[in-house]
Amino acid sequence: MPVSSLPPPTKRRKTAVQTTSIKSLEAHLTSAVADNGSLNPLADLLVLAHGTSDAREMSKVIYSIYRVFVLITSRGMLVHGGDDAAKLVRKWIWEKLDSFVALLVGLLQDDEPALRKSSLEILFSLLKHLSTSLTKSSPAAQPQFHLSHFKNIVRGLLLCPPSPRSAGRSKNAQTKLDVRESFVERWLSVYDDIRWCFLREATTVLSKSSPTEYPQLLDNLLSIMEKLTTFPTDPSELNAWWVEELGANPPKHKSAKRDIEEEEETEPVDENDEDDWRKFFDEDTNPKDAKTKSIKGRAHTLTFHQSLYSLQAHRAVFTRAWLNFLPHLSSVSTSSNRALTTRALNIMHRGVLPHLTRPVLVMDWIGACVDLGETVGLLALNALFTLMRDYNLDYPSFYTRLYAFLHRDILHLRHRARFFRLTELFLSSTHLPATLLASFVKRLSRLSLNAPPAAIIMIIPFTYNILKRHPALMVMIHRVEYGPGIDTDPFIDEETNPNATNALDSSLWELHSHIHHYDSAVSTVARIFGEAFTKPGYSMEDFLDHTYGTLIDTEVKRKIKKEPALAMELRKDLFPESDAADMDAGMSGRDAVSELWVFA
């Protein structure tokens, strides 16, 4: 190994390094790369970078080091080959590059936004240069992606090591918002190779790093995956590459051949580079996809280059990433995990299920979330309904689980509007039995007796729409008597099976009672059941945003058609505490208001 130009780190030497000109060191290294000279000043630059605390100086030195490494990479000094002396030099250069990359990864968590942005851009620019250099050195110039460098970027985004300028800060930090948004918008959502490799490496990081050791790992990963709004649905959409060499069409697939990526001899071999993701899932052949041009073959038999052009391979890594992530949310029942579960379920039906190789693989996790109840359980029911409707999942107890959500608290919670939106969707089918639907409308009718006015205003049009869609339920608003010898409501309120509540033999007398409600908005809406059912139906969105505040505003702004009767003159002593007669009688301190509530 070449001898470093740095003597032992004494205080005098540290002062000398600080005063060394960055430009002169860079100029010396630039000429050394061109003339095959000594690269020892590179160590000086790295010491300067690790030792400075000034953001401006840090920015200058990292860009200087970056330009030097671009020259070194373009000259092919990092690829294998040469005699023993060349191998020692190459090993030394890789050590310095790893030190520089570690510095940049730490700066992703720096307090200075400009340093965070610069570090992310330099890391991805180095990824492009290193991949190009690796491609040129590979047999037949096969397109390559520098995975070992990209792994450092992924670890920086998910594990968030502290900035070297922030001494003593915990490593269990959350990804900076600007770094995460920049990564998603500029790379993850744009380039197919970045997305594929990130999903693969994120799964590896998740399997090797414990969420107990890195509490923010799950939050960081979900914050990135929930922002992934663009995912290919057709092979023709696989056409954007950060590493330009990958834009060349891969060779045709051979069923019995597996391509093993060649790693540089100076780099350590990663035991997980076996691409075991390819064995995880193989989806069934889709007739619609058969007409499009794509790399064909089972996912686990494709090379890296072929996998990037295979829609099946992209869905495979996406599926593996989510199936490894979701169990961690339910492994420990904490408030933070419950919040993450809610966020995951929010995007499950539209952002996850359509891109899985087999959506029914998440059925068990979704079913477990239903048992949690409240907002989590409601969102899980939405995902479960999507599996039933779009992916032919057989779940006979779905409506029994939904019926269990109809309890008193549901009408007092803040997410009741979402509940009615989803319940209207769940009960929209005209093929549902009348007995089942009668239980739902009767149960809601019973709950309306203790519900706030805003909730009653939701229940009434909701019930009207169901009755309009299912005429067999009209008997529930026209029934006067329950039957011979039956004097009480036959509805079994405690029954958990919606098909055995006798609701169809009951009536909706609870909704009729609201025509005498103290709130005029409720009493007005309740009268629709006494009119002809000529209206096609109500738009629930017009009733879901009502609160006590909106009801009060409506009453305050209501135009008064008839002025109420008022006293013409107001006494100045309307509530006198005492008068002369009371004083004579010894009744000083009399309170006229309190006497109004004294009954003889």
Side-chain angles (χ1 to χ4, degrees):
M1 180 184 300
V3 179
S4 173
S5 63
L6 292 176
T10 62
K11 292 184 178 180
R12 183 176 300 178
R13 180 56 183 170
K14 288 183 179 179
T15 303
V17 172
Q18 291 292 337
T19 58
T20 302
S21 172
I22 298 175
K23 292 184 178 179
S24 61
L25 288 173
E26 181 182 354
H28 179 81
L29 285 168
T30 301
S31 60
V33 171
D35 301 334
N36 292 325
S38 173
L39 299 178
N40 286 335
L42 182 59
D44 295 345
L45 276 178
L46 286 171
V47 170
L48 186 61
H50 284 281
T52 183
S53 58
D54 182 71
R56 187 182 299 273
E57 293 298 319
M58 178 67 78
S59 178
K60 291 179 181 179
V61 71
I62 61 174
Y63 271 107
S64 178
I65 299 174
Y66 160 69
R67 289 189 289 268
V68 171
F69 273 115
V70 169
L71 290 175
I72 292 175
T73 304
S74 61
R75 294 273 297 182
M77 301 176 67
L78 294 177
V79 298
H80 59 274
D83 54 12
D84 293 340
K87 292 179 180 180
L88 288 175
V89 172
R90 184 164 55 250
K91 182 179 180 181
W92 181 84
I93 295 176
W94 272 111
E95 291 175 354
K96 301 308 174 187
L97 178 58
D98 292 340
S99 177
F100 179 53
V101 170
L103 173 68
L104 295 175
V105 169
L107 290 177
L108 295 178
Q109 291 298 111
D110 197 85
D111 294 332
E112 178 59 42
L115 282 179
R116 298 197 296 265
K117 179 182 178 182
S118 300
S119 299
L120 187 64
E121 291 176 348
I122 291 175
L123 284 169
F124 273 97
S125 181
L126 284 175
L127 173 65
K128 179 178 291 188
H129 288 289
L130 290 172
S131 299
T132 300
S133 176
L134 192 61
T135 299
K136 292 179 180 179
S137 63
S138 64
Q142 290 294 326
Q144 301 291 326
F145 189 92
H146 207 283
L147 287 172
S148 61
H149 177 77
F150 188 70
K151 289 176 183 178
N152 293 323
I153 301 178
V154 175
R155 290 182 62 85
L157 292 170
L158 299 182
L159 303 183
C160 302
S163 170
R165 297 194 323 123
S166 305
R169 177 171 296 181
S170 173
K171 66 180 179 179
N172 302 326
Q174 190 173 14
T175 309
K176 296 292 186 181
L177 180 61
D178 58 336
V179 173
R180 182 170 64 239
E181 290 183 348
S182 179
F183 168 67
V184 173
E185 294 174 2
R186 296 183 56 182
W187 288 284
L188 186 66
S189 298
V190 177
Y191 299 104
D192 299 310
D193 50 348
I194 298 295
R195 181 185 57 251
W196 190 92
C197 292
F198 173 80
L199 292 172
R200 175 190 171 187
E201 298 306 326
T203 305
T204 303
V205 172
L206 190 61
S207 62
K208 287 188 173 183
S209 306
S210 172
T212 56
E213 182 182 0
Y214 299 92
Q216 296 296 333
L217 171 58
L218 299 179
D219 191 3
N220 291 336
L221 181 55
L222 180 59
S223 298
I224 293 175
M225 292 201 298
E226 68 184 352
K227 296 294 184 180
L228 183 59
T229 56
T230 57
F231 195 87
T233 56
D234 189 85
S236 61
E237 299 175 3
L238 300 174
N239 52 17
W241 315 103
W242 176 246
V243 178
E244 297 176 356
E245 289 78 8
L246 294 173
N249 290 328
K252 293 183 179 180
H253 173 258
K254 296 180 181 180
S255 58
K257 182 179 180 181
R258 299 186 65 181
D259 191 27
I260 302 176
E261 297 181 15
E262 292 188 10
E263 292 290 336
E264 299 165 301
E265 62 179 3
T266 57
E267 293 185 271
V269 178
D270 192 341
E271 296 178 358
N272 286 319
D273 279 349
E274 299 176 358
D275 288 343
D276 56 343
W277 63 270
R278 297 176 292 190
K279 304 175 184 178
F280 204 65
F281 294 111
D282 282 311
E283 60 180 340
D284 296 333
T285 303
N286 191 336
K288 296 181 180 179
D289 295 340
K291 299 179 181 180
T292 59
K293 295 182 179 180
S294 177
I295 296 296
K296 298 181 180 180
R298 299 185 68 85
H300 69 275
T301 64
L302 301 178
T303 66
F304 171 79
H305 194 195
Q306 291 170 340
S307 299
L308 295 180
Y309 280 79
S310 170
L311 179 62
Q312 180 180 344
H314 280 265
R315 298 178 68 178
V317 293
F318 183 84
T319 301
R320 185 170 182 246
W322 275 102
L323 290 186
N324 278 270
F325 170 75
L326 293 177
H328 288 284
L329 299 182
S330 54
S331 59
V332 180
S333 180
T334 60
S335 57
S336 59
N337 278 15
R338 195 177 183 92
L340 294 178
T341 302
T342 302
R343 289 166 53 188
L345 288 171
N346 262 322
I347 63 172
M348 185 63 61
H349 63 288
R350 67 180 185 276
V352 179
L353 294 180
H355 307 304
L356 298 179
T357 55
R358 285 183 287 167
V360 294
L361 291 169
V362 297
M363 178 191 67
D364 293 337
W365 181 81
I366 293 176
C369 291
V370 174
D371 298 332
L372 298 177
E374 298 183 358
T375 305
V376 174
L378 186 61
L379 293 174
L381 277 178
N382 185 27
L384 200 59
F385 182 77
T386 303
L387 288 175
M388 295 170 54
R389 181 189 59 189
D390 300 336
Y391 304 103
N392 301 323
L393 175 66
D394 185 17
Y395 195 83
S397 61
F398 175 81
Y399 288 99
T400 302
R401 306 293 288 272
L402 177 61
Y403 188 72
F405 279 85
L406 298 180
H407 50 79
R408 181 177 179 178
D409 295 339
I410 196 68
L411 300 180
H412 295 267
L413 298 178
R414 62 179 180 178
H415 60 266
R416 66 186 175 205
R418 174 179 290 177
F419 171 78
F420 277 98
R421 285 190 183 96
L422 295 178
T423 304
E424 184 183 35
L425 173 66
F426 300 155
L427 302 180
S428 59
S429 174
T430 56
H431 299 287
L432 294 175
T435 303
L436 176 72
L437 293 167
S439 296
F440 279 91
V441 296
K442 177 61 179 179
R443 180 64 175 162
L444 286 172
S445 178
R446 182 64 58 86
L447 293 175
S448 70
L449 295 176
N450 296 318
I456 302 175
I457 291 179
M458 299 180 191
I459 293 175
I460 293 175
F462 178 84
T463 304
Y464 181 94
N465 291 342
I466 293 182
L467 296 179
K468 185 72 177 179
R469 195 180 300 118
H470 301 273
L473 304 181
M474 294 295 289
V475 294
M476 299 183 70
I477 63 172
H478 295 298
R479 181 173 284 112
V480 179
E481 297 180 353
Y482 293 124
I486 302 177
D487 299 329
T488 60
D489 192 338
F491 175 67
I492 306 175
D493 194 18
E494 298 79 11
E495 178 59 52
T496 59
N497 184 0
N499 291 312
T501 61
N502 296 332
L504 196 57
D505 297 329
S506 180
S507 65
L508 301 180
W509 60 266
E510 299 91 346
L511 296 182
H512 179 73
S513 68
H514 292 311
I515 63 175
H516 304 294
H517 198 275
Y518 71 87
D519 189 276
S520 60
V522 176
S523 60
T524 301
V525 176
R527 290 187 173 92
I528 63 174
F529 294 109
E531 302 173 357
F533 273 50
T534 56
K535 186 176 179 62
Y538 288 91
S539 174
M540 287 300 299
E541 293 299 326
D542 298 335
F543 302 90
L544 296 180
D545 295 328
H546 283 292
T547 61
Y548 275 115
T550 58
L551 294 176
I552 292 176
D553 290 340
T554 301
E555 291 298 323
V556 170
K557 297 178 182 179
R558 186 187 299 275
K559 294 183 179 180
I560 301 177
K561 297 180 180 179
K562 184 178 180 181
E563 294 291 338
L566 299 174
M568 299 304 295
E569 295 182 2
L570 182 64
R571 288 183 55 182
K572 295 182 180 180
D573 56 343
L574 184 60
F575 300 109
E577 293 186 358
S578 60
D579 52 27
D582 295 332
M583 294 293 290
D584 296 339
M587 299 176 58
S588 61
R590 172 189 173 194
D591 188 352
V593 177
S594 298
E595 290 182 3
L596 295 175
W597 299 96
V598 177
F599 301 97

